[in-house]
Amino acid sequence: MATRTINTKRNIMASYLLMIIQMIFSFVSKSVIVYTLGSDYLGLSSLFASVLTVLNVAELGFTTSIVFFMYKPLAENDVKRVCALLAYLKKVYKGVGISILILGMVTTFFLPYLINGDAPSEINIYLLYILYLINTVISYFLSAHKTALLTAIQRLDLTKIVNCIVTVIQYILQLIALIVFKNYYLFVGAMITGTCVTNIFVAYISKKKFPQYECGGDISKEDKKEIIRKVKGLLICNISIVTYTTLDSIVISSFVGLISVAIYNNYMTIYKAANQLIVLVRTAMQSSVGNSIVSESINKNLHDIYLWQFLFSVIATWCATCMLCLYQPFMKLWMGDNLMLPMIDVILIVVWFFIDIVQQAHNLYSAGAGLWNELRYSYIFNTCNNLVFNIILGKAYGITGIILASLATCIISGTFWQCIIIFRHYFKISAKKYILTQVKYFGIALVSVSITFLICSIVNAGDLMNIIIKLIICMTISPLLLYLFYRNNMYFIDSKRLIYNIIRK
């Protein structure tokens, strides 16, 4: 347990450091793109990133599946089996890289149909897209399998440290490309260079720290069959995640235009930054939870999932408060009045954010227990429902309709359906109590966020001072309200003990 806690702490710290660096430079680079080249370039960048994320579904979930199969041999120090799984993953990655490259080249013929209106005249959209494609596939031919190994070993912090250093240098080169040369090709070229350098260093660190784990040997036919069985569920899962998070930009680009894509993605940049700050905690915890599932009792894990549910709910409430109170003032200061969404869209985004974050608790256990195949029908629903309603509501109501489609899918599939499946197949009990607890936490969050928002609405100062005062209110009022609501909650007491142990270690 001590080793899992230490590894989780290391992974969280390294992940947060990288996240903060990426978040700061992302805001700076987006601002520079808008002010040096225009909003169309920002929309084009978001569109290509979304298209290639869709194509990346060719990975089929092999990484997650094989990392899952590595948990047990790593715990038992079965080096030979780990090396065989690593060799198998390396072969798979080569095939995946080739598949994405081929699919990506075919997609070039459809680019004009994905853009409503004209693209920037100074840029060749086909050449730019191919550069983005190269950046997507290059990791599969270098050391992506070593990153998977470090994930399974619970030493994701080693890859994050490399990413931190390379990311800073990469973004500096990108800013030079924009400010000095005003050349977007150089901007993307720096991104490709950063990806290559990161992969080379990850391979070196993996060999240096864990020389016993090198590609070699073969896994049995039974193992391959079991991996493929898991991958089938993961394939559906990945398609669901891809359509849920990336098709929004494609639909907006097709129905509205590149500038609307830029506006929507400016808001989603903040959403994803806050989301990733929390999801990184879940990612850092994933290997530890996987280890707990194979080594601890179901009752112990049942207690833990309620503890994580409480912690994620508290974090989500405070973040949602800050987002609702600060979204519009920040967007006005950052991008100006012309690049802002209406307040109803902001409210929907914040609700979507809260529900998404609370679901991270049970997502830990669906991945840790390898329940992707059992969850496949909920993922099929995710894909079909979100895609159909994205198109219908997006065409009728624009960005508001697209956000509504994603929110509805998130509630039906994530909060209800997937919880029921996880509790039925792993914990062997009803999910009713867990779901009702989620509803209770949402009600408390609604009250807490509303009170803080009403207090913030009284503030009327200049743009920057407005943000500072409202941030101070959110930093004080929201935690105070949460303490008043939860001070007698048993998981609040357990949370304090857990956080103290993590800090002490």
Side-chain angles (χ1 to χ4, degrees):
M1 177 64 183
T3 302
R4 289 200 300 266
T5 303
I6 292 169
N7 284 336
T8 298
K9 180 181 176 181
R10 270 195 305 230
N11 290 340
I12 289 173
M13 291 174 65
S15 297
Y16 270 136
L17 178 60
L18 176 62
M19 181 64 204
I20 290 169
I21 291 171
Q22 289 178 328
M23 185 169 59
I24 292 171
F25 277 106
S26 176
F27 279 115
V28 172
S29 64
K30 284 177 181 292
S31 303
V32 174
I33 289 172
V34 170
Y35 291 116
T36 58
L37 301 176
S39 300
D40 285 347
Y41 279 87
L42 192 56
L44 204 58
S45 171
S46 300
L47 174 63
F48 287 165
S50 297
V51 170
L52 290 169
T53 302
V54 172
L55 295 180
N56 219 18
V57 76
E59 193 267 334
L60 303 182
F62 274 99
T63 303
T64 307
S65 181
I66 292 178
V67 166
F68 170 79
F69 278 94
M70 284 183 182
Y71 289 148
K72 187 174 181 180
L74 282 169
E76 297 173 351
N77 199 28
D78 188 347
V79 176
K80 185 177 178 181
R81 180 167 166 77
V82 173
C83 291
L85 287 166
L86 199 61
Y88 180 64
L89 183 59
K90 184 177 181 180
K91 292 177 184 177
V92 168
Y93 272 151
K94 287 184 179 179
V96 168
I98 293 170
S99 300
I100 295 175
L101 188 60
I102 293 171
L103 288 170
M105 295 303 293
V106 172
T107 306
T108 57
F109 296 105
F110 301 96
L111 289 181
Y113 302 103
L114 299 178
I115 301 173
N116 188 326
D118 296 326
S121 58
E122 304 85 4
I123 204 84
N124 185 318
I125 61 170
Y126 298 101
L127 175 58
L128 184 63
Y129 172 77
I130 289 171
L131 290 174
Y132 271 90
L133 177 61
I134 291 171
N135 185 65
T136 300
V137 303
I138 200 165
S139 294
Y140 290 111
F141 298 102
L142 294 176
S143 62
H145 62 292
K146 291 298 182 75
T147 302
L149 172 66
L150 293 174
T151 301
I153 296 173
Q154 303 176 49
R155 290 309 309 272
L156 201 60
D157 59 300
L158 296 174
T159 68
K160 300 297 184 182
I161 292 169
V162 172
N163 273 324
C164 286
I165 298 169
V166 175
T167 297
V168 171
I169 298 172
Q170 174 189 312
Y171 273 114
I172 290 172
L173 293 175
Q174 287 181 312
L175 292 175
I176 291 172
L178 292 173
I179 297 171
V180 178
F181 298 101
K182 292 183 173 56
N183 190 310
Y184 199 70
Y185 293 120
L186 290 177
F187 177 89
V188 180
M191 182 169 61
I192 296 172
T193 303
T195 302
C196 292
V197 173
T198 298
N199 276 270
I200 292 169
F201 273 102
V202 166
Y204 171 76
I205 290 173
S206 175
K207 187 172 183 179
K208 183 82 172 175
K209 292 284 186 180
F210 306 100
Q212 69 271 37
Y213 299 123
E214 288 290 341
C215 297
D218 293 312
I219 60 175
S220 65
K221 290 182 179 179
E222 290 74 19
D223 283 341
K224 289 182 180 178
K225 287 181 181 178
E226 183 62 17
I227 289 171
I228 295 298
R229 190 184 75 83
K230 295 286 186 186
V231 166
K232 286 178 181 178
L234 274 169
L235 170 59
I236 300 171
C237 167
N238 282 0
I239 292 174
S240 168
I241 293 171
V242 164
T243 56
Y244 181 60
T245 58
T246 63
L247 283 181
D248 292 358
S249 294
I250 299 173
V251 173
I252 292 170
S253 177
S254 301
F255 291 146
V256 188
L258 288 175
I259 293 179
S260 294
V261 175
I263 295 172
Y264 175 74
N265 275 281
N266 286 340
Y267 279 82
M268 293 310 293
T269 295
I270 299 172
Y271 176 103
K272 290 175 182 177
N275 183 281
Q276 286 174 6
L277 282 169
I278 301 168
V279 171
L280 281 175
V281 176
R282 195 210 76 191
T283 303
M285 292 167 57
Q286 188 62 72
S287 296
S288 297
V289 171
N291 182 276
S292 177
I293 286 174
V294 300
S295 60
E296 303 282 0
S297 68
I298 289 180
N299 285 337
K300 169 66 167 59
N301 285 300
L302 181 62
H303 172 272
D304 286 349
I305 194 174
Y306 276 99
L307 176 61
W308 305 138
Q309 181 194 38
F310 172 79
L311 279 169
F312 280 118
S313 296
V314 170
I315 295 168
T317 302
W318 181 75
C319 290
T321 302
C322 294
M323 289 172 69
L324 188 65
C325 296
L326 300 174
Y327 238 136
Q328 295 296 63
F330 179 78
M331 292 305 302
K332 182 179 179 181
L333 179 65
W334 181 31
M335 288 292 176
D337 293 324
N338 294 330
L339 296 178
M340 292 176 63
L341 291 175
M343 193 61 193
I344 183 62
D345 290 351
V346 175
I347 294 171
L348 291 173
I349 289 173
V350 171
V351 173
W352 178 15
F353 170 86
F354 176 87
I355 293 171
D356 189 21
I357 292 303
V358 176
Q359 291 174 8
Q360 301 306 315
H362 62 255
N363 288 344
L364 273 169
Y365 288 84
S366 65
L371 296 176
W372 307 292
N373 201 49
E374 289 79 0
L375 291 166
R376 65 189 183 278
Y377 293 116
S378 70
Y379 292 132
I380 291 172
F381 170 83
N382 257 8
T383 302
C384 297
N385 184 76
N386 198 46
L387 179 59
V388 170
F389 281 97
N390 254 341
I391 294 172
I392 295 173
L393 296 178
K395 194 170 183 179
Y397 304 108
I399 293 174
T400 304
I402 288 171
I403 298 171
L404 275 171
S406 298
L407 175 58
T409 302
C410 181
I411 294 171
I412 297 169
S413 181
T415 300
F416 292 99
W417 197 344
Q418 292 179 10
C419 275
I420 292 170
I421 293 172
I422 293 165
F423 272 75
R424 179 187 300 160
H425 287 276
Y426 175 66
F427 294 108
K428 311 296 183 183
I429 59 174
S430 168
K432 182 179 178 180
K433 179 183 175 183
Y434 186 85
I435 293 171
L436 289 175
T437 304
Q438 281 196 24
V439 174
K440 181 182 76 173
Y441 289 156
F442 178 77
I444 292 172
L446 185 63
V447 174
S448 178
V449 172
S450 299
I451 292 172
T452 310
F453 179 76
L454 288 173
I455 295 172
C456 284
S457 64
I458 301 171
V459 177
N460 185 17
D463 289 343
L464 182 58
M465 186 56 64
N466 191 33
I467 293 173
I468 294 172
I469 295 173
K470 288 183 177 180
L471 178 60
I472 293 171
I473 292 172
C474 292
M475 294 285 285
T476 54
I477 300 299
S478 181
L480 177 61
L481 290 171
L482 288 172
Y483 172 76
L484 293 174
F485 283 127
Y486 290 125
R487 65 188 185 280
N488 295 321
N489 188 301
M490 63 175 287
Y491 296 109
F492 175 72
I493 299 168
D494 289 346
S495 299
K496 289 195 297 182
R497 188 182 301 115
L498 174 68
I499 294 169
Y500 172 76
N501 289 335
I502 291 174
I503 294 171
R504 187 182 62 180
K505 294 173 182 177

